Amino acid sequence: MYEEHVIAFAAAIQRELDNNRHKGGWHGCQISWLRKRLKQELGELERAVKSKQPADVVLSEAADAANFAMMIADNYTRKVKP
């Protein structure tokens, strides 16, 4: 069974994916571009924490970063078959 905070974070991750669905998928994206975007999202997360943004803003930024990490993993595993 998943812990409550894991379920809440997974819901935030899905919410961010849903909010950005209009941008299209990530399967055609280069891993190098996704890595660049992940670094940008981590910067946004850090700025949100440092400036003491409300918890919902920090959660949203963390979910954005997590989504780019997931996209990298997904694309990488599609290209590199065991």
Side-chain angles (χ1 to χ4, degrees), residues 23 32-48 61-62 64-66 68-69 72:
K23 295 178 182 178
S32 60
W33 183 83
L34 292 169
R35 289 177 57 227
K36 178 181 175 183
R37 289 291 294 122
L38 173 58
K39 290 176 186 177
Q40 290 171 344
E41 291 299 334
L42 288 172
E44 290 178 18
L45 174 58
E46 186 167 339
R47 286 188 293 280
E61 294 299 346
D64 279 341
F68 277 99
I72 291 167

Side-chain angles (χ1 to χ4, degrees), residues 11-75:
I13 288 170
Q14 186 62 56
R15 195 167 37 253
E16 291 300 322
L17 283 173
D18 292 343
N19 289 342
N20 289 289
R21 194 164 306 280
H22 66 279
K23 295 178 182 178
W26 60 89
H27 293 133
C29 296
Q30 294 292 320
I31 290 175
S32 60
W33 183 83
L34 292 169
R35 289 177 57 227
K36 178 181 175 183
R37 289 291 294 122
L38 173 58
K39 290 176 186 177
Q40 290 171 344
E41 291 299 334
L42 288 172
E44 290 178 18
L45 174 58
E46 186 167 339
R47 286 188 293 280
V49 170
K50 282 185 176 181
S51 65
K52 298 181 180 173
Q53 293 293 310
D56 63 322
V57 173
V58 172
L59 177 61
S60 175
E61 294 299 346
D64 279 341
N67 278 330
F68 277 99
M70 176 276 300
M71 292 172 195
I72 291 167
D74 184 55
N75 279 4

